[in-house]
Amino acid sequence: QSILTQPPSASGTPGQTVTISCSGSSSNVGRNAVNWYRQLPGTAPKLLIYSHIQRPSGVPDRFSASKSGTSASLAISGLQSEDEAGYFCAAWDDSLNGWMFGGGTILTVL
Amino acid sequence: VQLVQSGAEIKKPGESLTISCVGSGYNFMKYWISWVRQMPGKGLEWMGRIDPSDSYINYSPSFQGHVTISADKSIGTAYLQWTTLKASDTAMYFCARHSNYPPDYWGQGTLVTVSS
């Protein structure tokens, strides 16, 4: 099954800003809203950003997202050790008629 | 809102299995339930979804014919079923609810291990 393309890993030091990219196609990222999830090992994904830029209640504004064409990105500013986790992008795919997820990016805080 | 999944399973190749996902704290019939696979150390894969109000289902082509999704709206429960398990089915399986927005509430996951 095709997936949205993310870098497998990213890293940064405390206080830095880290950006994670997500690349798709015209049937998913190019046409529909991009959403972002955070996942800690052994737990379910947690919605971080939806409809490109909206944050659920409780998600700090250090997390922001953007989209251009068939690519999107998640930015985490003021990096903290607790931000270490896996991050996944997701978008509805019109061809699949279902959800397309990214391969995931493991973020390490050095 | 809660989605509570059935417990971990250890099965042999060729065996059958059904895992469940019980929704509570919301109107079960107003949200789709999707099933998502996560193989060890890998990303998330959407398997298919069901509308509990009328049991309309659509599957990802990658999973069509190998799993069956169903739901019993009277007890607010969705199911994922295999008739013939393979070792390659070893994974964590999540259920998640969604509407016009992305999956917001997820089950805790059910670990399925298939080994001889």
Side-chain angles (χ1 to χ4, degrees):
Chain A
Q1 176 170 301
S2 299
I3 59 173
L4 305 179
T5 301
Q6 297 182 236
S9 63
S11 63
T13 57
Q16 274 190 330
T17 294
V18 169
T19 300
I20 297 171
S21 63
C22 172
S23 178
S25 69
S26 59
S27 64
N28 43 65
V29 174
R31 189 175 300 177
N32 298 307
V34 178
N35 313 283
W36 291 89
Y37 291 89
R38 167 188 166 134
Q39 186 182 34
L40 295 172
T43 69
K46 177 182 175 183
L47 187 61
L48 200 62
I49 300 275
Y50 65 98
S51 297
H52 302 306
I53 58 172
Q54 302 297 322
R55 290 185 303 275
S57 169
V59 175
D61 58 7
R62 300 189 296 107
F63 294 88
S64 61
S66 62
K67 187 182 97 162
S68 178
T70 59
S71 294
S73 62
L74 172 72
I76 308 172
S77 62
L79 202 60
Q80 301 177 4
S81 58
E82 65 204 50
D83 296 331
E84 281 203 341
Y87 292 86
F88 295 87
C89 58
W92 185 260
D93 189 285
D94 292 336
S95 298
L96 178 64
N97 198 24
W99 293 102
M100 189 75 76
F101 291 96
T105 300
I106 303 296
L107 175 63
T108 301
V109 180
L110 302 170
Chain B
V1 176
Q2 273 194 308
L3 293 173
V4 178
Q5 297 184 228
S6 50
E9 301 274 1
I10 299 176
K11 292 288 189 179
K12 291 180 168 35
E15 291 186 331
S16 63
L17 174 66
T18 299
I19 62 175
S20 64
C21 169
V22 180
S24 63
Y26 74 99
N27 188 334
F28 186 73
M29 290 191 287
K30 287 193 177 295
Y31 291 81
W32 293 81
I33 293 287
S34 275
W35 286 95
V36 177
R37 182 176 79 175
Q38 187 169 36
M39 300 180 79
K42 301 297 184 182
L44 304 170
E45 300 172 271
W46 181 78
M47 302 174 70
R49 61 174 178 154
I50 184 166
D51 180 346
S53 68
D54 61 6
S55 288
Y56 173 81
I57 303 166
N58 70 285
Y59 294 95
S60 163
S62 298
F63 294 92
Q64 177 98 44
H66 187 55
V67 297
T68 301
I69 294 171
S70 61
D72 184 340
K73 63 185 179 184
S74 68
I75 57 173
T77 302
Y79 303 95
L80 181 65
Q81 178 184 13
W82 295 260
T83 55
T84 308
L85 285 162
K86 305 175 184 177
S88 57
D89 292 319
T90 294
M92 182 74 86
Y93 293 87
F94 295 100
C95 63
R97 76 161 200 180
H98 59 95
S99 57
N100 293 329
Y101 290 102
D104 54 359
Y105 285 90
W106 294 61
Q108 82 277 18
T110 297
L111 180 62
V112 174
T113 303
V114 184
S115 174
S116 55

